[in-house]
Amino acid sequence: MPVLTLLTDPARADLPADAAARLPTAWGAGEPRWLSPGTAVQVPLAGTVRTEEQAELRELWSRRGVDAVVQPRVLRRRVLVADMDSTMVQQECIDELAAHAGVGEQVSAITAAAMNGELDFAAALRARVALLAGLPTSVVDTVLAERITLTPGARELVATMRAHGARTALVSGGFVPFTAAVAARVGFDEHRANVLLEQDGAFTGTVQEPVVGREAKVAALEEITAALGLTPRDAMAVGDGANDLDMLRRAGTGVALHAKPVVADQCDVRVDHGDLTALLYLQGYAEEEFVGR
């Protein structure tokens, strides 16, 4: 039986109490289950919802600041593989480094094009890293302390899934010093990212090969699930950029979170308004089950 989840930003919590009653009668909406009053509700559907109807429903509710997601069924996933930049944290770490190097605008433009799928990710990464040559490595600690903030719901998502036996991994096209710090802050089991090469306390402007990009994210998803005797269909993945797209397609639940248009348009599960706790609601967790608050 398909299930519709309606959810909004917990900071607003303005989802109407009669939200389930507003669905087409042909869908055979069952008894709603409120996962969090004003924030998330799940509704079982007896009827079939065609793809074009789902798109219309998503657009209709999106105008009200609500995400509408139809899933064949609700499953609690046993693995979480998450992107970092603009997903688990609210910034692009390389852009913050570039600002300190005085090349912020140049790097930000390349980042935006790469995340929109307009440039090859690996080539774009090398080009951006080259602009960091000579930057003191100590700047990483400054950026982490002063600029990098967690996305709301990050700790709750990871802590709740881990409390229920899931393996959690932060897999980024960014850099190890950042993933190490963010993984520790949030509580991930493991992290993978690119290595910025350095010499005499400064970055050389090069990255260790091979680059962790689109293919590496899929490989990480496959390796982590296989090590647990699972498949990618047992996993949830979340990301926002073009280099996340293959990973999102391979996972059992691939969530495009506040994603770039090229990504959002190709993903069935989109969260445009909620925060990272949306990934828990989509698995059927109620707010009182959240861990880490």
Side-chain angles (χ1 to χ4, degrees):
M1 179 180 292
V3 177
L4 166 68
T5 304
L6 297 174
L7 53 91
T8 190
D9 183 352
R12 296 205 335 260
D14 57 357
L15 190 60
D18 65 345
R22 303 185 186 190
L23 301 177
T25 55
W27 293 1
E31 188 68 25
R33 177 187 175 224
W34 281 91
L35 304 173
S36 177
T39 299
V41 63
Q42 285 189 333
V43 187
L45 305 175
T48 300
V49 184
R50 298 191 305 273
T51 301
E52 59 270 23
E53 291 178 315
Q54 293 183 38
E56 291 171 5
L57 178 74
R58 182 168 55 230
E59 177 61 26
L60 175 65
W61 279 101
S62 186
R63 294 184 203 132
R64 304 171 185 172
V66 175
D67 294 309
V69 179
V70 176
Q71 301 177 89
R73 59 192 179 281
V74 174
L75 293 172
R76 294 191 174 185
R77 299 298 182 180
R78 298 175 63 186
V79 173
L80 172 68
V81 178
D83 173 46
M84 180 178 67
D85 297 293
S86 298
T87 300
M88 298 306 296
V89 302
Q90 296 177 300
Q91 296 77 27
E92 292 285 336
C93 295
I94 192 169
D95 292 359
E96 302 300 333
L97 285 178
H100 279 269
V103 291
E105 290 187 7
Q106 292 170 263
V107 168
S108 293
I110 299 172
T111 299
M115 293 302 98
N116 281 321
E118 299 165 16
L119 298 173
D120 173 75
F121 179 81
L125 182 71
R126 295 186 191 102
R128 287 176 289 169
V129 168
L131 294 170
L132 302 180
L135 184 69
T137 57
S138 59
V139 170
V140 170
D141 291 334
T142 302
V143 169
L144 280 166
E146 298 179 0
R147 299 294 301 164
I148 304 304
T149 55
L150 298 181
T151 301
R155 287 194 176 98
E156 292 92 331
L157 170 62
V158 171
T160 302
M161 290 189 68
R162 288 189 68 187
H164 288 81
R167 179 78 178 176
T168 60
L170 186 64
V171 181
S172 172
F175 309 116
V176 166
F178 291 100
T179 57
V182 171
R185 281 190 205 176
V186 178
F188 279 94
D189 291 300
E190 62 179 280
H191 66 96
R192 304 184 186 191
N194 287 295
V195 175
L196 280 172
L197 299 180
E198 56 187 80
Q199 185 175 354
D200 300 327
F203 294 118
T204 64
T206 54
V207 62
Q208 181 174 294
E209 298 288 344
V211 166
V212 176
R214 189 168 185 149
E215 296 81 7
K217 291 194 174 193
V218 174
L221 174 65
E222 293 176 341
E223 289 167 12
I224 291 165
T225 52
L228 298 170
L230 304 172
T231 74
R233 306 309 297 172
D234 298 303
M236 170 173 271
V238 59
D240 74 298
N243 64 322
D244 298 312
L245 196 49
D246 291 346
M247 174 181 75
L248 299 181
R249 288 170 171 159
R250 287 280 287 144
T253 303
V255 182
L257 180 79
H258 299 271
K260 310 302 183 288
V262 69
V263 179
D265 290 346
Q266 298 182 61
C267 290
D268 294 330
V269 181
R270 290 171 47 176
V271 174
D272 299 323
H273 304 284
D275 64 15
L276 282 165
T277 59
L279 277 68
L280 293 173
Y281 294 131
L282 290 172
Q283 295 178 80
Y285 289 99
E287 184 179 15
E288 59 265 26
E289 296 178 87
F290 289 3
V291 179
R293 288 193 162 177

